[in-house]
Every structure is written in structure tokens, then in C-alpha cells.
Amino acid sequence: MGKSEHTDQTERIPEMTSSVAEESPRQARKTAIWARLKKVSGQQKITSGCDALPDFASYAVAEAYQQRTNLDKRRLARPPFKRAGNTLQKFMSTLSLFIEAYNGVNGIARGIDCQYGDLVVSALSVLAQIGKNKEGREMAINSILEELTKSWMGEPGRLCLYSDAYPSSSRMEGFLADVYLAIGELAVESAEYYSRPPYTRFWQAIRRPPKLGIDVKADEIKRAIFEVVSEANAYFLRDFADHRRAWETLCAQQTKNQLAHISRELGISRELADADRMIAQCKALHAHAFAEAYRKKRSKQLQQISINVLKDKGLCTTLEQSAPSAVLVLSGSNYDIYDSGAGLCWLSPITTEIAESYQAGQSSQGTSKILFHSACADRASRFSNEKEPFDLCLSRFILQILLWDDGYFSQTRQTVEDDIRDNNCHRLETLQSLLKGWTRSDEICIIIDRLDCIALHDNGRNSSDDEISELLETVLNIVSAASCNIKLVVTVDTKGWPLMRENADLDRRWKIWKQRIDLQRYSLLRKVCWHQPELHEY
């Protein structure tokens, strides 16, 4: 070899190494399979249309079938004495199964001839196992190729479906490529086996039994297919989660739009109807007003209302433990006029405290639903001479119930939309029907602060001598139809309820209400004309 020729080859080595490095492992694997296929089939050119891996795998399987057909033809063309080898192979396979089924054959042979019996049986076992390996290899190849062709390969095959389902996924493309390459390797190994002469196949049965050859390839295909299925499941779960989120978003937006429509019909916005918002607003208002009033009257230590005070009176504990339903009515008056708390009643803060107690799940029934309304929640309502229409209270309660649960809203939406009208009668019926949609194990705490600031009739003025009693009777009529347990809490300023001067007055009115309304399961708890005391008086 000349010096210049040696130099040229040396210079080409990096270039060749670079081209091999640029070839992907899957492409290198495919190239190696093609080389073996061309050697088996005798074709030196790659078949047109087989560049794609599915076509390549199909071609390899077809070549394995072709070599099997060629083997069958060669066996039929053999002389009769050579055909007996096939019969002998099947006999040895059956003999192997017989020896495995009857383990005592070795002991029987040893009993007949202790010197050679065991040796003869061992030799027959080896021959029988060889026959079984040879027969088992061919049966395994036929079974695997048939399963692949029938279920996984071809246009209607499952692999094609996975490929069409995820055309833009590089990960799925890689997993499918591994399956096709594993099928190609199995097919080319099968084709090589069928193309070999009998003695080579006999030696292979000795050297490489199915467990070390064909079974390993089959397991590789199964693992590759498992990866495809797992990837498809992962995509399915992700798509399902995306669709579910999209569906939930769509439903949430639809519910929001429907609630907005109902809010417009009721004449109150969703934000103003929100119970949590109103509770927080009232709590801040009461805390500031009464804290300022307390500071200005240092010489007089005034009692501030709280749950502990109610418990001392035996009211709050009885309310929580009463079963199944109860009505707590508190009416009272302030010790004096509060400069900073004008228009407020010293009993009002108890409403927010009871509401928070129920929201925290401190009631005897566990976590309870809250319906909350205050007629003195802002400065405008405190200093207005006009009473708040009862229709507003009903509208707020209807919207609060609809905001509790999306599922319940979807069930009752159409009924609510049909019932809502511009008069109180329909709102009463709507609220009654909503309260009927719960079970006896549920509990709803309905809180109305300052019933004296609410007008039953649209003109905002009293239409009777005792409108508060008439209004309370209307509320009781609503809650009496409820299918769940109800805890009703009502506060009233005494000056707005002049006919109720002592507990006995309300007790007599309660007896009248019980004759008109089904209040058998309700117990009455009351403290009427509760004037705010000084601490030393208390």
C-alpha cells in the first residue's frame, strides 16, 4: 500500500466516524435489520415503499412467512426416509412432555437396571428436550407472527390506530418505532431460522432453546407495546383532564351568566347578596360603633352583647341544643343614644357572632348553612327614614341559597327563573320551594338583623298597628314549610315593636301563630325589651 493511499484512508476515518455518530440508534438498528433481511431474501436493493417503519416491519414479517413457506416446500420435496425426521421431531416433543408429566420414570428405569437405566432415561430426556425445543420454536414463531399480523400490524391494526391518534407526539413516535423495530428483529430472526439447513436448526435447538431466543424477542415486543399503551393512557388522562377543566370552566361561566340573569330579575347583585360579605361588613360596623361608644362612656361600664351573655341567660345553649328547630327572638334598646352608633341596636352584634359560630361548625348538627340579612348594614340604611322592603330580604336569601351549591342551582334554576316576578308573593313561594329541597339531616340558620327596619308592604310604611308581628308571622310561615332543620334568629329594636313589652306578650302571640302555622317542631326562645344594662347592674 502506497503512502498516499494510506494517507487518504487516514483522512477519511474522522469523516466516516462522524457519519456513523450522526446516525440515530433506531436508524442504525433498522439498517442492521435490513442487511440481514437482504441476506436472507437474496435482494440487494431495498424494496420500494418500505422506508417507513410500519412498511418495513410488514415487509420483514412477510419475508418470515415466505421463508416458512419455502421450508415447508423443502420438507415436502425430501425423500421419504428424510421426511421421517419431522415425525421423529414431533415424537421427541411428545416424549418430553411425557417425561415431564411422569417424574417417576427415572426411578423405574433405575430399578430395572441400576447401571444403565438412569443413563438411558437421561439420554432420552435430552433428545426429547431438543425435539421439544425445535418444535416449540416453530410453534412460538407461528403464534407470535399470527398475533402480530392479526391484531397489531397492517392498516386496521392497533399500532396504526395509536399512530393516527397521536400524529404530533414525538414520544409516541419513538415508542412505536421501538415496537416496529422489535417486530422486524423477530421477523428477520425467524426468516433466518427457516432458511437454515436442518442440521443448523437442530444445533440451534441445542444451543439456543426458545427461552433464550424467541421468547426473549417476544418479551421485548410486549414491553415495547406496553410502553405504547402506557403512553396512550397518559395522553388520554391528560386530554381527559384538559376536557374536564374546559367543561368545568364552561359550566362555571354558564352558571355565572345564569346567576347574573337571576340577580337582575331579583334586583340585587351577587356581591350585595353574598352572606360572607354582609357578615364581614356588619361585624366591622358594629365593632367600630360600639367600641367608640364604650370609650365615650367611661363612667358607665355598659354590657356588650355576646354569645357568652346569651349562654348566661340560657338562650344560646338552648338554641344550639334544641331539636329539631328553634326560633330565637331578641328585642331590646340601647342604654343611651350612641354618637357613633346612631341607628344601631346593641343586640345586632350577636347576629354576626352566631353566624360565625355556625360557619365554624360549632352547632350540634355540625357545619350549617347560613342565610344572613341585616337591614342596617351601612350608613345609608341607618339614617334613612324609609324602611327596607321585605322583597329585598327575600331576594337576598334566594340568591344566597343558589350560591351554596352549583349542583343544587342547576336543579332549581329553571324553577326559580319561572317563579321570579316583581311581587313578594312569588318570592315567598320561591324561597319556600328552595327550603323544601333539603333533607332533615341538613340545618339552615336564618338570621335577620333589625326586623323593625323592614317593611312588609311596598310603600315602606306601617300598614298595621303591629307590622313587626305580621312580618315575623310571614317569616315563620316560610320556614315552617322547610324540609330541613331551621334555626331562626331575629333581632328587633324595642322602639319599633311597641306592643311587645315583655316575654308574655310574645308568648301569647306565639300561641296564635301555632294555630295558624304548623310550628309543632319549633321551640320559641325569646328575650323581649332587653334594655342595655350597666355592668354593675348586670
Side-chain angles (χ1 to χ4, degrees):
M1 179 182 296
K3 182 177 180 181
S4 60
E5 184 178 356
H6 176 74
T7 303
D8 292 342
Q9 288 188 359
T10 304
E11 292 176 351
R12 284 199 302 268
I13 289 176
E15 182 181 352
M16 295 171 61
T17 305
S18 176
S19 63
V20 173
E22 292 175 357
E23 188 177 31
S24 66
R26 291 191 178 98
Q27 186 60 38
R29 191 176 173 187
K30 178 183 175 182
T31 302
I33 296 173
W34 265 124
R36 294 170 64 185
L37 272 177
K38 287 190 290 185
K39 185 176 180 181
V40 172
S41 62
Q43 297 183 14
Q44 296 303 315
K45 295 182 179 180
I46 297 178
T47 303
S48 177
C50 291
D51 292 338
L53 282 174
D55 299 330
F56 158 76
S58 298
Y59 177 79
V61 171
E63 185 61 33
Y65 276 122
Q66 182 61 44
Q67 293 299 328
R68 174 56 194 258
T69 302
N70 295 341
L71 175 60
D72 292 338
K73 291 179 180 179
R74 291 199 304 272
R75 284 174 174 172
L76 291 175
R78 290 177 183 173
F81 69 92
K82 288 188 176 182
R83 292 183 200 171
N86 296 335
T87 304
L88 179 61
Q89 174 181 309
K90 294 180 181 180
F91 171 76
M92 287 300 179
S93 178
T94 304
L95 180 61
S96 175
L97 296 175
F98 177 81
I99 294 175
E100 288 180 2
Y102 297 96
N103 295 325
V105 172
N106 288 341
I108 295 173
R110 192 181 299 110
I112 296 174
D113 190 333
C114 60
Q115 184 175 0
Y116 297 104
D118 195 20
L119 179 62
V120 170
V121 173
S122 298
L124 285 175
S125 298
V126 172
L127 292 175
Q129 187 62 42
I130 294 172
K132 179 183 177 182
N133 289 346
K134 194 167 180 293
E135 181 78 11
R137 178 184 297 276
E138 296 178 8
M139 292 177 62
I141 291 174
N142 291 338
S143 175
I144 295 171
L145 292 180
E146 182 179 358
E147 173 65 20
L148 291 173
T149 305
K150 183 182 300 183
S151 302
W152 294 95
M153 303 287 291
E155 189 63 29
R158 297 170 186 169
L159 294 177
C160 185
L161 295 177
Y162 281 116
S163 179
D164 293 341
Y166 306 98
S168 60
S169 171
S170 58
R171 284 175 55 86
M172 180 60 76
E173 182 181 358
F175 289 131
L176 287 171
D178 291 338
V179 175
Y180 286 124
L181 290 173
I183 292 174
E185 288 179 341
L186 172 68
V188 73
E189 185 169 319
S190 302
E192 289 173 344
Y193 174 80
Y194 288 137
S195 64
R196 290 175 183 137
Y199 62 86
T200 305
R201 284 184 276 112
F202 180 81
W203 172 246
Q204 189 170 358
I206 300 175
R207 184 173 59 89
R208 293 186 65 192
K211 291 183 179 180
L212 301 180
I214 191 68
D215 290 349
V216 173
K217 291 296 181 184
D219 290 340
E220 182 181 352
I221 294 175
K222 292 177 182 178
R223 286 194 299 271
I225 290 177
F226 175 79
E227 292 296 334
V228 170
V229 175
S230 299
E231 184 71 7
N233 289 339
Y235 277 112
F236 172 78
L237 292 175
R238 187 193 65 184
D239 293 342
F240 176 78
D242 292 341
H243 286 304
R244 185 180 63 181
R245 283 192 294 268
W247 172 253
E248 290 175 350
T249 302
L250 179 62
C251 291
Q253 184 61 43
Q254 185 178 14
T255 300
K256 183 178 179 180
N257 295 338
Q258 292 168 346
L259 280 171
H261 171 70
I262 294 176
S263 298
R264 288 192 297 269
E265 293 293 327
L266 291 173
I268 182 172
S269 68
R270 179 174 178 175
E271 291 73 19
L272 292 178
D274 183 73
D276 293 336
R277 180 180 181 276
M278 177 162 279
I279 291 171
Q281 182 179 348
C282 291
K283 185 177 180 181
L285 177 65
H286 297 158
H288 172 75
F290 291 104
E292 182 68 15
Y294 182 79
R295 184 186 66 78
K296 288 186 176 183
K297 294 185 177 294
R298 292 181 181 176
S299 59
K300 294 183 181 297
Q301 298 294 319
L302 303 180
Q303 178 66 55
Q304 304 298 315
I305 193 67
S306 67
I307 285 183
N308 290 332
V309 173
L310 289 185
K311 286 182 177 179
D312 291 341
K313 292 290 184 180
L315 295 175
C316 188
T317 303
T318 307
L319 176 68
E320 293 178 351
Q321 296 178 351
S322 61
S325 300
V327 177
L328 172 62
V329 179
L330 300 176
S331 73
S333 57
N334 299 339
Y335 182 86
D336 200 350
I337 297 175
Y338 288 164
D339 294 335
S340 59
L344 297 179
C345 177
W346 80 285
L347 296 173
S348 292
I350 196 61
T351 58
T352 57
E353 197 169 346
I354 291 177
E356 290 180 337
S357 175
Y358 272 83
Q359 285 178 328
Q362 298 175 8
S363 67
S364 60
Q365 299 293 330
T367 303
S368 300
K369 301 292 187 181
I370 298 292
L371 292 179
F372 188 92
H373 177 77
S374 174
C376 294
D378 51 38
R379 182 178 179 83
S381 61
R382 286 163 48 197
F383 292 98
S384 175
N385 292 326
E386 294 291 333
K387 291 188 175 184
E388 186 179 271
F390 185 49
D391 180 60
L392 179 61
C393 177
L394 296 176
S395 298
R396 178 169 278 127
F397 284 165
I398 291 172
L399 204 54
Q400 286 179 8
I401 292 176
L402 296 179
L403 291 172
W404 283 344
D405 182 80
D406 291 341
Y408 187 65
F409 170 73
S410 62
Q411 297 174 12
T412 58
R413 176 188 62 83
Q414 192 61 50
T415 302
V416 172
E417 289 181 345
D418 294 340
D419 289 348
I420 290 177
R421 296 295 185 270
D422 291 333
N423 55 73
N424 289 345
C425 181
H426 282 155
R427 279 169 172 72
L428 287 171
E429 295 173 358
T430 301
L431 184 56
Q432 282 181 325
S433 65
L434 290 176
L435 292 176
K436 291 178 182 178
W438 303 88
T439 64
R440 188 55 62 92
S441 61
D442 297 320
E443 182 175 289
I444 299 177
C445 182
I446 303 177
I447 300 175
I448 303 177
D449 179 34
R450 297 299 299 277
L451 196 66
D452 57 291
C453 294
I454 298 175
L456 179 60
H457 303 284
D458 294 337
N459 56 19
R461 296 179 176 87
N462 292 346
S463 59
S464 65
D465 294 337
D466 192 4
E467 188 183 30
I468 303 301
S469 297
E470 185 180 351
L471 186 56
L472 183 55
E473 181 180 358
T474 303
V475 174
L476 292 173
N477 191 36
I478 294 173
V479 300
S480 66
S483 58
C484 57
N485 293 330
I486 297 290
K487 300 297 174 66
L488 176 63
V489 178
V490 176
T491 64
V492 185
D493 193 299
T494 302
K495 65 181 180 181
W497 205 6
L499 297 182
M500 295 294 162
R501 291 299 179 182
E502 56 185 21
N503 291 340
D505 295 332
L506 185 57
D507 292 340
R508 286 191 294 271
R509 179 71 65 171
W510 179 259
K511 292 179 181 180
I512 297 174
W513 289 335
K514 290 183 69 174
Q515 294 175 359
R516 300 174 182 174
I517 308 171
D518 183 14
L519 298 175
Q520 298 304 318
R521 62 190 178 99
Y522 285 87
S523 57
L524 175 64
L525 309 172
R526 75 279 183 273
K527 180 68 175 173
V528 176
C529 281
W530 192 357
H531 184 69
Q532 184 181 19
E534 293 185 55
L535 288 180
H536 69 272
E537 295 177 354
Y538 194 75

